[in-house]
Amino acid sequence: MNGGPITWCSQKQKTTALSTTEAEFVAACEAAKEILWLQQLLLDLGENITSVPLYVDNQSAIKLISNPVYHKKTKHIDVKFNFIREKVELGVIKLNYIPSNSQLADMLTKALPTQAFIYLRDHILFFFSQL
């Protein structure tokens, strides 16, 4: 908020994903729940935030969330994760693609080659030095 992060989370998913698309879909749903909680908290504090951007680095997951038609390869995904589709359709959440090399959170969630880690670390340090 006001140019800085106010929350983040890194944890092992409770379900086993069969693809990176499914893993990103589930992660986006968890982020959507956090977004809705924060929107309500801010509303209680007098701030009305109508649409929140959610940055996802998997284009297949964005397409799957944005296009709620039957997908043969993803019919096994638990229905509760379709919650995010409704929020995107209502405009509460706006999905945005961010290339993997710009996804600063990757250094907190996965093992990276040394050069990629240093690149992301330096960008996070730069980001926080600007606050």
Side-chain angles (χ1 to χ4, degrees):
M1 186 166 193
N2 295 327
I6 56 173
T7 185
W8 70 276
C9 178
S10 177
Q11 67 185 47
K12 186 176 174 182
Q13 287 184 349
K14 294 175 178 77
T15 59
T16 302
L18 299 177
S19 67
T20 55
T21 298
E22 183 180 348
E24 292 284 349
F25 184 97
V26 171
C29 184
E30 293 300 320
K33 293 191 297 187
E34 184 78 3
I35 287 169
L36 291 176
W37 178 81
L38 286 168
Q39 278 183 313
Q40 186 58 52
L41 175 66
L42 290 170
L43 187 60
D44 292 345
L45 296 173
E47 282 286 329
N48 188 11
I49 311 237
T50 56
S51 183
V52 176
L54 176 58
Y55 296 96
V56 179
D57 65 358
N58 185 296
Q59 293 185 46
S60 295
I62 292 172
K63 289 176 186 171
L64 183 61
I65 294 166
S66 301
N67 187 11
V69 296
Y70 172 77
H71 292 274
K72 183 178 174 184
K73 292 183 179 181
T74 58
K75 65 183 180 183
H76 64 280
I77 298 175
D78 198 338
V79 174
K80 70 180 177 183
F81 297 116
N82 290 314
F83 161 81
I84 190 172
R85 287 182 172 158
E86 176 187 330
K87 300 308 172 190
V88 169
E89 286 177 15
L90 294 173
V92 175
I93 295 171
K94 182 174 178 356
L95 292 176
N96 294 307
Y97 173 71
I98 185 167
S100 291
N101 63 350
S102 297
Q103 181 66 289
L104 299 179
D106 274 359
M107 71 177 269
L108 303 171
T109 62
K110 62 179 96 173
L112 296 171
T114 303
Q115 285 304 107
F117 178 83
I118 291 170
Y119 173 83
L120 293 174
R121 180 201 63 195
D122 291 347
H123 279 79
I124 286 176
L125 291 173
F126 175 77
F127 175 79
F128 282 110
S129 71
Q130 300 301 309
L131 297 178

